[in-house]
Amino acid sequence: MSMLGTKWKLHGTGRTIRPGHVVAPHERLTWPLTIGVGMQHVVAMFGATFLVPILTGMPPATTLFFSGVGTLLFLVITQGRVPSYLGSSFAFIAPIMASQQQFGVPGALGGVVLAGVVLALIGAIVQKFGAGWINRLMPPIVTGAIVALIGLNLAPAAKQNFDAAPVTAVITLATVILVSVLFRGILGRLSILVGVVVGYLVAMMRGEVHYDKMDAAAWIGLPQFQTPEFHVGVLGLFVPVVLVLVAENIGHVKSVAAMTGQNLDGVSGRALLADGAATVLAGLGGGSGTTTYAENIGVMAATKVYSTAAYWVAGIFAILLSFSPKFGELIATVPPGVLGGAATMLYGMIGVLGVKIWVQNKVNFANPVNLTTAAVALIIGIADYSWTVGDLKFTGIALGSAAALVIYHGMKAIAKARGSVAEPESEQAGLPPAVKAAVNAAAKRAPKKR
């Protein structure tokens, strides 16, 4: 492959995938098929990427533009070794909305830039020294708590939009739920997008959609670019997001490595650096912060096509689509009721993803360190505790994230010094809970050897 990763080898005949094989990142199918797969990636990222600017009041076309540019930048920095699409990160929703109330859109964009800079620096450190220190700093109990509290912190915003048009919101939410179980493959994965479309049609019939701005917009034109402003007060809102982005990015790289059978540890730092650079670029121009997209990993798993050529197609197509102001204004017409229904599912999913991290890593909540870390962090995040120090205001996400880190490492250090916690941090595998309890009880009753 070239330094840009743009020299692809044809996979077999380029028309079919041999049984038991996958189209590797450095391979491609014929260009008509590659273009088709690339456009499918655009569809897969579409719903989630557009939900973020709609919910935060950012220009949808601008966000789409920077998602396409960010994807191409990611492919260049990773030298075409990591197939991934960079779409809008849900982790940025809460800090963007909170910072807009204090500092407006420019202040929120400044926060996005700062988060991107921190992420890029972490990527450079990981590329130099490896990712082991991240796993020690943020074990599964901490990562899961931070991801969960970011999603659950948004619950009041979902309720506010839901209450604006309850009928539309209920139909939107019901559609999302039904589509996710009625259909398999890509359609089932796009349940939120389908729910938004159905809810939008219902809102049209109920007279809740207004097209004044769309009618006035041109068919072809530049996206709406904005410049950031930098305020110290946004640091507490955006820095915790970086922890989520790191965990998310590394998890996606590991997923792609497992599915392609390639060792991508050597490029994990580049992936973080690229994600950070793309986020900085988006913040400088008026877009939302980016992240690698699980939706597109799902498309690769379904198609067995991991070619980075398809992502070049997706990135370029997204950029071209962003040069239609009318299209951007059409997306912006999505009414509150539809957003409320979709957000009820979406924000809840973010919260449950944190729980999923705990389950997958068999976090043991009989261990008081784990239990306390999760309990305190979640309540602080959900209730949105706040603390103001001069010009700095720390809200639920920042305080909850800090609490998770401080409580975990503080309690662990004290317990180690005192020898007071006997329970393991992860559950024993292979035995039912009742059997484990019996084994532990028997061990405690057994006479000690002299």
Side-chain angles (χ1 to χ4, degrees), residues 21-328:
H21 290 73
V22 299
V23 180
H26 65 279
E27 298 179 323
R28 67 169 176 85
L29 298 174
T30 60
W31 280 114
L33 290 175
T34 297
I35 290 172
V37 173
M39 294 181 71
Q40 186 172 338
H41 279 301
V42 173
V43 172
M45 68 84 188
F46 194 86
T49 289
F50 270 117
L51 269 179
V52 176
I54 291 172
L55 290 167
T56 58
M58 310 285 275
T62 310
T63 296
L64 182 61
F65 173 81
F66 282 108
S67 78
V69 171
T71 297
L72 301 186
L73 180 63
F74 182 91
L75 294 172
V76 170
I77 292 177
T78 59
Q79 297 179 327
R81 294 182 59 191
V82 184
S84 190
Y85 191 92
L86 295 192
S88 303
S89 171
F90 297 148
F92 281 99
I93 296 175
I96 285 177
M97 292 171 67
S99 57
Q100 282 180 347
Q101 295 176 2
Q102 292 180 266
F103 308 107
V105 173
L109 292 176
V112 172
V113 171
L114 292 173
V117 169
V118 175
L119 181 59
L121 289 174
I122 292 175
I125 295 172
V126 169
Q127 191 64 26
K128 180 70 175 178
F129 301 105
W133 64 276
I134 292 178
N135 297 326
R136 291 190 292 274
L137 176 66
M138 296 190 302
I141 179 61
V142 172
T143 306
I146 293 174
V147 173
L149 69 85
I150 284 179
L152 299 177
N153 176 268
L154 291 165
K159 182 178 183 296
Q160 183 179 1
N161 281 324
F162 201 102
D163 290 344
V167 174
T168 302
V170 167
I171 294 174
T172 301
L173 179 59
T175 303
V176 173
I177 294 170
L178 289 174
V179 169
S180 65
V181 293
L182 286 175
F183 302 100
R184 298 178 180 178
I186 186 64
L187 189 58
R189 293 181 180 276
L190 297 177
S191 59
I192 292 180
L193 176 60
V194 176
V196 168
V197 171
V198 172
Y200 188 88
L201 294 175
V202 171
M204 285 177 61
M205 292 186 289
R206 292 175 57 83
E208 298 169 358
V209 183
H210 306 286
Y211 296 102
D212 298 340
K213 290 185 178 180
M214 190 196 79
D215 292 338
W219 281 101
I220 299 176
L222 290 173
Q224 180 185 342
F225 296 116
Q226 302 179 77
T227 55
E229 292 178 0
F230 298 97
H231 301 275
V232 177
V234 303
L235 284 173
L237 294 169
F238 283 90
V239 170
V241 172
V242 177
L243 303 177
V244 178
L245 297 178
V246 169
E248 194 171 46
N249 190 298
I250 290 177
H252 287 172
V253 171
K254 288 181 178 178
S255 297
V256 172
M259 289 186 286
T260 59
Q262 298 183 0
N263 186 349
L264 297 177
D265 290 346
V267 78
S268 59
R270 282 179 173 267
L272 288 168
L273 176 61
D275 197 351
T279 295
V280 169
L281 194 61
L284 290 174
S288 300
T290 62
T291 187
T292 51
Y293 253 31
E295 288 86 347
N296 296 90
I297 291 177
V299 171
M300 291 189 291
T303 62
K304 307 301 181 186
V305 178
Y306 298 88
S307 172
T308 53
Y311 283 100
W312 276 92
V313 171
I316 292 170
F317 187 68
I319 293 171
L320 292 175
L321 201 58
S322 71
F323 284 95
S324 175
K326 191 174 288 291
F327 176 76

Side-chain angles (χ1 to χ4, degrees), residues 293-422:
Y293 253 31
E295 288 86 347
N296 296 90
I297 291 177
V299 171
M300 291 189 291
T303 62
K304 307 301 181 186
V305 178
Y306 298 88
S307 172
T308 53
Y311 283 100
W312 276 92
V313 171
I316 292 170
F317 187 68
I319 293 171
L320 292 175
L321 201 58
S322 71
F323 284 95
S324 175
K326 191 174 288 291
F327 176 76
E329 290 296 342
L330 172 64
I331 300 300
T333 61
V334 178
V338 176
L339 298 179
T344 298
M345 180 71 173
L346 180 62
Y347 298 164
M349 285 172 62
I350 299 172
V352 173
L353 280 176
V355 178
K356 182 181 178 183
I357 292 173
W358 293 335
V359 172
Q360 287 180 332
N361 291 276
K362 296 183 172 61
V363 172
N364 181 16
F365 284 100
N367 183 313
V369 176
N370 289 342
L371 181 63
T372 306
T373 298
V376 175
L378 285 179
I379 290 300
I380 291 175
I382 295 170
D384 202 20
Y385 284 34
S386 62
W387 179 39
T388 302
V389 183
D391 294 332
L392 278 173
K393 182 178 181 180
F394 300 95
T395 55
I397 291 177
L399 294 177
S401 300
L405 286 164
V406 172
I407 291 172
Y408 173 79
H409 290 288
M411 288 186 68
K412 189 175 179 183
I414 295 171
K416 183 177 181 180
R418 295 284 298 164
S420 56
V421 176

